[in-house]
Amino acid sequence: MLSYRHGFHAGNSADVLKHTVLIFCLDYLAQKEKPWFCIDTHAGAGSYPLLEGFAAKNREWEKGVAKLSGMKVQQIPAALTRYLELTGPDGMSYPGSPEIIRRLLRKDDRACCFELHPEDFAALKTLLGGDRRFGLRHEDGFAGLKSLLPPPSRRGLIFIDPVYEVKDDYALLPQVLSDALKRFSTGTYIIWYPLLHTDPRPAGAEMPGEAASFRETLLNLYEGNRLGVEFYTAQKDSPPENSPRGMYGSGLVIFNPPWTLKNALEETLPFLGLAMGIGKDGWFLCNHEAP
Ligand SMILES: C[S@@+](CC[C@H](N)C(=O)[O-])C[C@H]1O[C@@H](n2cnc3c(N)ncnc32)[C@H](O)[C@@H]1O
């Protein structure tokens, strides 16, 4: 059941949001000298050509990163300036999360990437196999995560970017997260999810806590500092054309975010809304502080 290929979606608006947050959080960890450890549970191929192959078919990047590339630098919020600096939009290729992590790794930092698709894993190995700071695993990231927690340095970021085409992901992810949080409650976790017109969760997967949305299910798993952010690319009530999954946006839940992230997103989201969304108010942000 591995039909999903991230190449079709590389550089789209969901990538812009998730990678902007990933870069912001890793930059924050790098403010201290002590090494950090980053785990990418669903890594993809690591880098994607934009003008050939999958990405050239639907050209989703044209409605994502390409919308930002032409903007004047002085108009762009700092978090996006940094995102553009790191993803280096040359119009030819787009870095996936593993390559972004590689660009931020220092000498003693370490990372581990899980990827199940044989071809994407082979591409990842070609890209990063020679970098001894990376562990690359052709394994299930949900199952493998706990074996790496807590990281030896006790400073770390877990990036969880599943496909959600297998409906079990909705039930499995809360279990995996609860377990991970028991082992490593001080880590920064970034979890991505799609916003779809029809609730894709199988009956019962909205538990625990009888949450009305997957966002709430995730937020309810942790009592410490957490942020929820959603970005809309279409109106919720009118399914976008040419979107087989009926996606009207995407969201992130972040546990233990940098304290500066909320303000950075408040500055960034209206800008993204105008550049590649439904307008300057087309986003949602909620912030929960530890009791
Ligand atoms: C959304 S893509 C990842 C994109 C990548 N994180 C990025 O930001 O560039 C999800 C990837 O997870 C892989 N995958 C699906 N189920 C998996 C699992 N259980 N464990 C590891 N990888 C999985 C898919 O083959 C796909 O390449």
Side-chain angles (χ1 to χ4, degrees), residues 2 4 6 18-19 40-44 48 96-97 114-117 120 139-142 159 161-163:
L2 286 169
Y4 180 94
H6 194 68
K18 71 176 88 148
H19 293 158
D40 191 348
T41 58
H42 295 69
Y48 305 93
S97 48
F114 292 88
E115 171 54 45
L116 269 186
H117 196 289
D120 281 352
E139 293 169 26
D140 180 343
F142 282 138
F159 188 61
D161 186 15
V163 170

Side-chain angles (χ1 to χ4, degrees), residues 41 107 242 248-249:
T41 58
K107 186 168 68 65
N242 305 326
Y248 65 92

Side-chain angles (χ1 to χ4, degrees), residues 69-92:
S69 313
M71 319 241 23
K72 287 206 181 83
V73 172
Q74 60 268 38
Q75 297 175 341
I76 302 182
L80 282 181
T81 304
R82 178 68 175 144
Y83 161 78
L84 288 173
E85 190 180 292
L86 248 285
T87 54
D90 54 7
M92 304 293 284

Side-chain angles (χ1 to χ4, degrees), residues 124-225:
L124 192 61
K125 222 170 144 189
T126 304
L127 184 73
L128 299 175
D131 190 328
R132 298 174 67 123
R133 297 168 301 175
F134 272 91
L136 301 179
R137 298 201 183 178
H138 188 199
E139 293 169 26
D140 180 343
F142 282 138
L145 174 60
K146 65 181 175 194
S147 67
L148 298 173
L149 299 178
S153 66
R154 299 291 198 276
R155 301 186 74 228
L157 186 148
I158 294 100
F159 188 61
I160 304 182
D161 186 15
V163 170
Y164 297 100
E165 279 185 344
V166 183
K167 288 197 180 358
D168 285 354
D169 282 0
Y170 288 95
L172 189 56
L173 179 51
Q175 293 169 23
V176 169
L177 266 174
S178 302
D179 196 17
L181 285 161
K182 274 185 207 135
R183 292 164 192 260
F184 185 40
S185 63
T186 54
T188 297
Y189 292 74
I190 302 173
I191 305 114
W192 181 86
Y193 58 92
L195 292 167
L196 304 171
H197 286 278
T198 44
D199 190 336
R201 294 172 294 173
E206 65 275 14
M207 307 299 279
E210 296 183 18
S213 66
F214 193 55
R215 177 187 74 226
E216 283 177 50
T217 298
L218 296 177
L219 287 168
N220 287 344
L221 293 170
Y222 185 57
E223 288 194 337
N225 291 339

Side-chain angles (χ1 to χ4, degrees), residues 2-19 44-45 47-50 52-66 83 93-97 120 161-165 192 194 196 233 242-247 249-250 276:
L2 286 169
S3 54
Y4 180 94
R5 305 301 297 274
H6 194 68
F8 285 107
H9 312 290
N12 69 6
S13 59
D15 267 9
V16 172
L17 178 64
K18 71 176 88 148
H19 293 158
S47 180
Y48 305 93
L50 294 178
E52 58 190 63
F54 298 143
K57 294 221 159 75
N58 300 340
R59 300 174 77 89
E60 290 191 19
W61 48 273
E62 283 184 342
K63 291 183 181 162
V65 63
Y83 161 78
S93 66
Y94 183 79
S97 48
D120 281 352
D161 186 15
V163 170
Y164 297 100
E165 279 185 344
W192 181 86
L196 304 171
T233 48
N242 305 326
S243 173
R245 300 176 73 195
M247 234 172 102
S250 66
M276 54 181 211

